[in-house]
Amino acid sequence: MKNLFSLLRGKVRPTRPLSPMKHAGQKHVGTLSTGAVNDMPRSDAREEGFRFGPVGLASYQRSFGLRFVEEAPSLAEADYDSRVRVLMSDHRYGMRWDLSGKKVAVVGNGPVLNCGRLIDSCDEVIRISTMRNWQKSPVHDGTRVTTWSGHPWLVVHRNNRGELEANDRFAELLENGARLWASSPFHISLDAYWWLSHRGLLDRLLVVPPPANIYEIACSHMEAEDLRKLFSISAQINNIVGLPHFDLLLTGTRMIFLIELCGAKDIAIFGTNLFNFSPDGVWFGHDLQFDYEVLMAVKQRILAKGGTFYWNEEQQVQQKWRSIR
């Protein structure tokens, strides 16, 4: 598995060279000698010093115009650009195997009522993304958080003076010792990287491995048809080209699936009413009905293993799902 992960990260040369592709016109940050990753494999891909990025990188470059630099001592904060993402060093990638056998609460960004005691009683409490509706109420949505999970670029930005600022809730929970589990290797902005670095928090950051690695883990847990649905390439949606369905899941759905793969015995979900978003509140690439099907499949597998699966908004979501099928 270690050698496979190295191959997917570009550390091992494939036995058969990948076909080079030309992709001109993009500005690169840095140079090969300082750890920059090219936008697409070029005709000089076999030259010494060229490194392929993680499998899946090209889809993000093509679909969103993102540019990537590898974490390195020479990485310069002056290279700031809102489209730059940092590919973290291999030792920062990983799964939360310590969740095995535990009861894990996943609290989404929706409002939660009268569930505070249940949330806080779980072994682990994972809160997602911006936490915009978190009241820190012991009665309603709980006060505990052991891990933050999401896309770091969403919670760190620059103010009008060009200074780095973080979401208040995000900054506070890190001050209180919460762990970090980035939900994608492709969404760690240079801003977020430097904000964490300045505060000595990078060693607390764990990054979900690339989708190809998740597929390898999932093969031991899922039926072939479920694997096909989740890891096959989605049809083109506007500018989105080449992303697997896994990458188009909502952050909460993705993390619940990953928590299952980590061996959690019991999963409890709160603040996740899939079909109660405002029309402008869901990115066009998400398919909420598909997210629902993924969560129901997780439920079936957890129950089959003798665990429990509680979804606070499940009845509301089911009713809406039946009405729109």
Side-chain angles (χ1 to χ4, degrees):
M1 175 64 78
K2 183 177 180 180
N3 192 59
L4 172 64
F5 181 68
S6 296
L7 175 59
L8 294 173
R9 281 280 297 151
K11 305 295 185 184
V12 177
R13 188 178 299 277
T15 55
R16 185 180 66 178
L18 300 178
S19 300
M21 298 176 63
K22 294 182 179 179
H23 187 70
Q26 293 282 353
K27 178 183 177 183
H28 306 299
V29 175
T31 66
L32 287 175
S33 61
T34 58
V37 177
N38 292 319
D39 288 281
M40 293 282 281
R42 300 178 303 173
S43 56
D44 60 354
R46 294 182 180 85
E47 291 184 3
E48 184 177 356
F50 182 90
R51 299 174 66 188
F52 289 101
V55 173
L57 183 73
S59 297
Y60 282 87
Q61 292 168 318
R62 178 176 177 181
S63 300
F64 307 113
L66 297 180
R67 295 183 287 121
F68 294 85
V69 294
E70 290 188 331
E71 182 181 16
S74 58
L75 185 60
E77 187 172 2
D79 286 334
Y80 165 74
D81 184 297
S82 61
R83 294 176 300 158
V84 175
R85 301 289 185 265
V86 180
L87 296 176
M88 306 302 288
S89 301
D90 286 352
H91 73 279
R92 301 199 196 280
Y93 289 84
M95 298 286 280
R96 286 288 306 276
W97 303 119
D98 60 301
L99 299 179
S100 179
K102 292 184 177 181
K103 182 173 184 177
V104 182
V106 179
V107 187
N109 285 306
V112 183
L113 297 176
N114 301 314
C115 295
R117 182 176 298 179
L118 179 56
I119 292 171
D120 288 343
S121 69
C122 292
D123 299 321
E124 295 277 343
V125 179
I126 298 176
R127 297 188 185 267
I128 301 295
S129 297
T130 62
M131 304 165 284
R132 59 181 176 272
N133 283 303
W134 185 20
Q135 304 174 59
K136 305 179 187 176
S137 166
V139 174
H140 296 300
D141 54 6
T143 60
R144 290 185 64 222
V145 53
T146 58
T147 300
W148 173 89
S149 185
H151 298 324
W153 74 269
L154 285 172
V155 290
V156 178
H157 62 278
R158 289 182 182 263
N159 60 27
N160 293 335
R161 299 181 299 276
E163 300 166 337
L164 292 174
E165 289 186 348
N167 173 296
D168 289 341
R169 294 183 177 91
F170 177 73
E172 181 181 351
L173 66 87
L174 291 184
E175 289 178 3
N176 293 329
R179 300 173 67 173
L180 291 165
W181 196 15
S183 55
S184 168
F186 306 121
H187 287 302
I188 301 170
S189 65
L190 193 58
D191 283 348
Y193 177 86
W194 280 114
W195 188 90
L196 292 170
S197 178
H198 293 333
R199 288 156 182 79
L201 296 171
L202 282 176
D203 287 340
R204 207 186 295 177
L205 175 65
L206 187 69
V207 182
V208 170
N213 294 89
I214 302 302
Y215 168 81
E216 291 293 317
I217 299 169
C219 275
S220 300
H221 296 263
M222 300 170 65
E223 298 295 330
E225 181 61 13
D226 288 337
L227 285 168
R228 183 195 67 78
K229 289 179 180 179
L230 194 54
F231 292 99
S232 60
I233 301 300
S234 66
Q236 182 170 350
I237 311 171
N238 295 343
N239 58 300
I240 302 172
V241 178
L243 291 182
H245 290 95
F246 171 78
D247 279 35
L248 298 177
L249 293 174
L250 293 166
T251 301
T253 305
R254 182 188 304 206
M255 299 316 299
I256 290 162
F257 171 66
L258 293 172
I259 290 165
E260 177 204 358
L261 294 186
C262 289
K265 182 177 183 294
D266 307 299
I267 296 178
I269 309 172
F270 306 87
T272 308
N273 190 340
L274 291 179
F275 304 113
N276 197 36
F277 292 100
S278 65
D280 297 329
V282 180
W283 177 55
F284 67 84
H286 293 313
D287 181 344
L288 300 182
Q289 294 188 59
F290 184 72
D291 275 68
Y292 174 76
E293 294 170 4
V294 169
L295 290 173
M296 288 297 95
V298 171
K299 176 181 180 179
Q300 291 176 1
R301 291 191 294 268
I302 291 289
L303 296 179
K305 296 175 185 176
T308 62
F309 184 96
Y310 174 77
W311 185 358
N312 188 56
E313 296 84 14
E314 182 174 359
Q315 185 174 357
Q316 300 166 265
V317 174
Q318 283 183 339
Q319 291 175 350
K320 183 66 175 179
W321 182 72
R322 293 190 186 104
S323 71
I324 63 178
R325 287 185 66 185

